[in-house]
DNA sequence: TATTATACGGAACAACGTTCCGTTTGTCAA
DNA sequence: TTGACAAACGGAACGTTGTTCCGTATAATA
């Protein structure tokens, strides 16, 4: 369903140093860090101290920074799979539902994903250049998907045409900004309200 | 127009220690800190380092913490006036515009206020207990105003009835979360979209 | 087994918010 | 005017963050 990322999570350098495969201890520690990060993030949120993660993983701080030079690289690695799953959920919705409902359903899917990760939304939109690659991955993966959903709905005359995919992605993330990690009902309701706004514009005005 | 806070910004203890008025140097330093904070916030955002503020004000760190025991107390003091102004803007709008447009206009007013203060929205919704009083002041001052706008619009049949004031306040603040301080066009557009969603519900469904 | 690129671990650094306390100063009674 | 003292001042110092650096350990190869 995915199409392009065939499970080569830990791809080694492909161009020059194709000598020397990944050392076994490096692989082991990388895995331990990813597992620890996933666990710690789900308890303390994405802002959890680095030391808490390395302690959980049972490795030194230096090891963390060797494998993930920036804090955001660790976050990106942890959530890559889930971003992909979110993107891959679109086609099924488009086959099952009418264009406007498919759009609404996918946005709720995305809402649930972001809202469940406490601290993710603030990090994505902090403007901190450290999170640029994380933000870039989200955008490159999700923007085309949402754009297609939008285009289809606009073509069907179900939705206004003056909103673009990136704006919507940013907006949903913003709406999830204050979700505790457990209560995203407000975010869900507000996303629905926005979808209604999109519908209103289709025949109402502009 | 305000009605209750008659410029007693620096009220001294009213109950017990009514002995000893405020010392002149204390008053001077408090004013300097407020002015410096306002200036620094507008340049570096609400997250600006404390040391930058005390340096600008020309006082020591200890002095800052004497007058504003928590960082949020300083923020609250700086923005109190503006929160009041925002709340006080409602009656005029309600006289001039129809209920739905008055609601929309006031929400845009609030949007501009929050979006212009970089870092304010994240602070308000950080969940950090340090910001509880700041959040409390915003809510106590703005919630009644917005509730009245909402009630009026609902009564006129211009807007759906299943959204409450606090949710809307939180939502708008969330939408402003990623505003740089200069570009709030996205936030404005999304607030408009939400207002359209409110209108859609009035006759469409729900 | 010897060699060596690679990875490891944690001390150390810089920046932050906040606390603490010895020193200074404004105010008021004498 | 002067003395005394509550009040306020300033900044060193603490605890916590993310990140860097480098001496040491080790997995892979010849």
């Amino acid at each position: 369903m995915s199409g392009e990322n065939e499970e080569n999570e830990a791809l080694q350098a492909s161009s020059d140093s194709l000598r020397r495969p990944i050392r076994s201890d490096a692989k082991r520690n990388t895995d331990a860090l990813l597992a620890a990060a996933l666990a710690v993030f789900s308890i303390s949120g994405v802002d959890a101290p680095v030391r808490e993660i390395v302690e959980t993983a049972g490795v030194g701080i230096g090891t963390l920074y060797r494998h993930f030079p920036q804090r955001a690289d660790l976050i990106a690695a942890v959530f890559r799979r889930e971003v992909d799953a979110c993107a891959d959920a679109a086609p099924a919705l488009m086959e099952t539902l009418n264009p406007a409902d498919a759009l609404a359903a996918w946005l709720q899917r995305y809402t649930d994903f972001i809202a469940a990760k406490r601290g993710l939304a603030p990090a994505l939109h902090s403007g901190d250049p450290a999170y640029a690659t994380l933000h870039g991955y989200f955008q490159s993966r999700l923007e085309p998907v949402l754009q297609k959903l939008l285009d289809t709905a606009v073509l069907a005359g179900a939705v206004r045409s003056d909103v673009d995919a990136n704006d919507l992605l940013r907006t949903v993330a913003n709406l999830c900004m204050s979700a505790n990690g457990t209560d995203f009902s407000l975010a869900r309701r507000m996303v629905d309200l926005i979808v209604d706004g999109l519908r209103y514009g289709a025949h109402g005005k502009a």
Side-chain angles (χ1 to χ4, degrees), chain A:
Chain A
M1 215 179 236
S2 153
E4 47 181 328
N5 67 324
E6 53 272 7
E7 197 60 41
N8 55 353
E9 190 92 20
L11 80 170
Q12 62 271 50
S14 50
S15 52
D16 39 10
S17 72
L18 37 88
R19 281 275 147 196
R20 299 218 185 248
I22 304 156
R23 256 170 63 165
S24 59
D25 53 351
K27 163 78 170 143
R28 189 173 354 111
N29 283 331
T30 300
D31 290 347
L33 279 168
L34 283 173
L38 186 63
V40 170
F41 286 168
S42 73
I43 294 174
S44 308
V46 170
D47 302 318
V50 192
R51 283 169 179 80
E52 195 176 330
I53 297 170
V54 300
E55 200 172 311
T56 304
V59 305
I61 294 191
T63 302
L64 168 62
Y65 278 92
R66 160 160 286 266
H67 294 299
F68 305 98
Q70 313 216 55
R71 182 193 172 70
D73 295 328
L74 176 61
I75 300 176
V78 167
F79 293 129
R80 190 182 307 262
R81 220 180 302 260
E82 298 194 58
V83 173
D84 292 339
C86 189
D88 293 341
L93 294 175
M94 294 185 77
E95 281 173 22
T96 318
L97 304 170
N98 68 58
D101 288 344
L103 173 63
W106 188 85
L107 283 175
Q108 290 296 350
R109 171 76 164 74
Y110 179 57
T111 303
D112 289 350
F113 166 46
I114 298 283
K117 317 298 176 188
R118 191 159 30 114
L120 217 203
L124 276 175
H125 290 291
S126 64
D128 189 331
Y131 289 105
T133 64
L134 179 61
H135 183 265
Y137 187 73
F138 269 73
Q139 184 160 308
S140 69
R141 206 71 182 77
L142 300 179
E143 194 259 359
V145 170
L146 179 52
Q147 190 63 62
K148 182 161 193 177
L149 283 160
L150 263 178
D151 288 347
T152 306
V154 166
L155 218 67
V159 146
R160 69 169 43 163
S161 59
D162 60 349
V163 173
D164 83 355
N166 263 321
D167 285 354
L168 261 184
L169 285 176
R170 286 182 56 187
T171 298
V172 171
N174 283 341
L175 288 174
C176 296
M177 202 82 73
S178 66
N180 328 339
T182 57
D183 173 31
F184 11 120
S185 61
L186 176 59
R188 292 192 65 118
R189 272 181 282 134
M190 291 305 141
V191 169
D192 267 336
L193 215 45
I194 285 204
V195 172
D196 282 350
L198 288 170
R199 288 177 159 130
Y200 178 83
H203 39 274
K205 65 172 189 179

